[in-house]
Amino acid sequence: MAQATISETHTRDLDRDCTTLSRHVLEQLQSFGPEAQDLSALMQRIGLAAKLIARRLSHAGLVDDALGFTGEINVQGEAVKRMDVYANQVFISVFRQSGLVCRLASEEMEKPYYIPENCPIGRYTLLYDPLDGSANVDVDLNVGSIFAVRRQEFYDESHEARDLLQPGDRQIAAGYVLYGASTLLVYSLGQGVHVFVLDPSLGEFVLAQSDVQIPESGQIYSVNEGNFWQWPEGYRQYIREMHRREGYSGRYSGALVADFHRILMQGGVFLYPETVKNPAGKLRLLYEAAPMAFLAEQAGGKASDGQQPILVRQPQALHDRCPLIIGSAADVDFVEACLAESVP
Ligand code: AHG
Ligand code: MN
Ligand code: MN
């Protein structure tokens, strides 16, 4: 009897440890067909990119040329950090010779990067923010990576990627990696949201939580209040209301991935409104807002630009920005109501 109990425990632990990313994708799709195999391999490669970035972050202070700025300005007009460049290159290197991804589009590259050897058979485009919250990196605070997978619709010689200019509801998969106290990978294939933890002793992402549901409402609001006087009045009304209510806390790390992860787990709302400095909003639609919106909706939450759901917003250009209100459904609704009320 005692022996049976021990073996049941072992079986349970082994089952958990063997639920790696690649196996989980096949389980989710309930298929061993070519599409499922490709998506499984693709997620496994994203896991490899995450491990490479996590490894460099873990000893960045000891490595020459890991921290600080490169002196360059990216297509967004933002100063580029050495870790931005490294993380961007990791995704390119990981997907070379993979036969999976024909094209990569990232915050750090003006135009999509084609991998010609993959293009005849690679069926997907990966859109990504290689290092999100990179201002945190020099002070050893949380950063992340964000990714979205879309179907490659055609080979566009001009590298303009016009077929990518479609709303977020065309995403096949989306997720993020949070480089925190542990390294987490959170993803969705449109069948719920699942959390994996990197087990350093195995070097594998192992399933920790499946079908995460965001609470219906929460008591956290996450916003850069330093911009208060730059926001439209409706956002100011919302924050004034939060200040009046008991039990509400402001929490803001400066990395969307970390701030959204807290909201996903504990409920509440993250906001990055339009400001005087960034009248269209700061966050990028295709590789920041849309993947996060996909996850929020899959977890039972909402994501809005103040007017419409993020997932139906039509991009005009690869690096488009948008306002973002994301989190628990009731809290997003309330922010939208404040905005609607303040319209003159
Ligand atoms: P990135 O480092 O990829 O440019 O993203 C930074 C983003 C996002 O992570 C965060 O929510 C926001 O910018 C922080 O901006 P502020 O410093 O203006 O608050
Ligand atoms: Mn970012
Ligand atoms: Mn970034």
Side-chain angles (χ1 to χ4, degrees):
M1 187 62 203
Q3 267 188 354
T5 311
I6 288 166
S7 111
E8 275 163 26
T9 312
H10 284 181
T11 308
R12 203 177 48 241
D13 288 355
L14 282 169
D15 268 352
R16 188 203 57 210
D17 287 350
C18 291
T19 308
T20 56
L21 270 173
S22 49
R23 173 166 137 180
H24 191 257
V25 170
L26 297 174
E27 280 176 13
Q28 290 267 292
L29 299 176
Q30 296 189 332
S31 160
F32 293 104
E35 173 101 3
Q37 294 289 354
D38 276 3
L39 284 172
S40 166
L42 196 151
M43 281 309 304
Q44 194 262 338
R45 296 273 170 147
I46 290 175
L48 175 60
K51 286 184 248 179
L52 286 161
I53 295 167
R55 184 177 68 178
R56 188 154 179 98
L57 286 169
S58 72
H59 58 203
L62 300 173
V63 176
D64 283 347
D65 296 338
L67 298 176
F69 292 95
T70 63
E72 278 155 25
I73 302 292
N74 71 10
V75 58
Q76 324 279 338
E78 290 161 358
V80 178
K81 295 231 151 177
R82 291 192 175 101
M83 272 306 299
D84 287 321
V85 176
Y86 179 80
N88 190 57
Q89 188 58 42
V90 162
F91 280 90
I92 294 173
S93 299
V94 154
F95 280 103
R96 261 196 203 125
Q97 298 291 347
S98 67
L100 295 165
V101 165
C102 169
R103 182 176 58 185
L104 297 157
S106 120
E107 177 190 342
E108 303 301 334
M109 300 186 287
E110 185 180 356
K111 289 189 171 182
Y113 182 97
Y114 279 76
I115 310 178
E117 70 268 21
N118 291 350
C119 283
I121 47 169
R123 288 187 284 210
Y124 306 103
T125 292
L126 186 78
L127 290 122
Y128 64 110
D129 176 357
L131 200 69
D132 173 64
S134 56
N136 282 358
V137 83
D138 290 346
V139 287
D140 205 20
L141 293 176
N142 291 164
V143 289
S145 301
I146 306 173
F147 60 90
V149 180
R150 293 191 184 219
R151 206 168 292 286
Q152 174 90 24
E153 308 231 331
F154 55 80
Y155 186 94
D156 179 0
E157 296 272 329
S158 71
H159 292 196
E160 291 295 343
R162 285 182 303 274
D163 61 315
L164 285 178
L165 303 183
Q166 296 185 37
D169 53 16
R170 301 291 285 263
Q171 293 170 118
I172 297 170
Y176 58 80
V177 182
L178 172 56
Y179 308 99
S182 54
T183 299
L184 300 184
L185 192 152
V186 178
Y187 91 114
S188 177
L189 292 171
Q191 300 183 32
V193 175
H194 315 285
V195 179
F196 288 71
V197 174
L198 179 60
D199 179 337
S201 64
L202 282 176
E204 283 280 6
F205 281 100
V206 172
L207 181 66
Q209 248 182 297
S210 34
D211 292 313
V212 173
Q213 285 291 303
I214 188 166
E216 171 60 23
S217 66
Q219 294 194 309
I220 293 164
Y221 62 95
S222 185
V223 66
N224 183 347
E225 270 192 78
N227 295 333
F228 187 87
W229 292 110
Q230 293 193 48
W231 300 334
E233 177 57 21
Y235 291 101
R236 296 203 286 260
Q237 289 297 0
Y238 170 74
I239 293 298
R240 285 189 192 105
E241 179 59 29
M242 293 301 102
H243 291 171
R244 279 193 285 269
R245 290 190 187 181
E246 200 170 323
Y248 280 76
S249 296
R251 292 282 185 271
Y252 189 75
S253 77
L256 169 65
V257 167
D259 291 323
F260 176 74
H261 188 69
R262 185 199 296 271
I263 301 289
L264 178 68
M265 294 293 139
Q266 300 179 343
V269 66
F270 171 94
L271 311 103
Y272 207 112
E274 45 284 60
T275 60
V276 173
K277 188 173 161 213
N278 286 302
K282 179 181 181 192
L283 299 174
R284 277 57 54 117
L285 176 57
L286 283 167
Y287 43 82
E288 290 181 317
M292 292 312 211
F294 189 82
L295 294 168
E297 290 205 3
Q298 283 294 317
K302 283 191 172 180
S304 163
D305 65 5
Q307 310 281 329
Q308 61 186 339
I310 290 287
L311 291 183
V312 303
R313 187 178 165 110
Q314 174 65 44
Q316 306 298 327
L318 183 58
H319 299 288
D320 263 8
R321 296 170 189 261
C322 65
L324 178 63
I325 306 157
I326 188 168
S328 295
D331 297 307
V332 172
D333 288 345
F334 184 54
V335 178
E336 282 185 323
C338 293
L339 296 177
E341 235 173 63
S342 81
V343 173

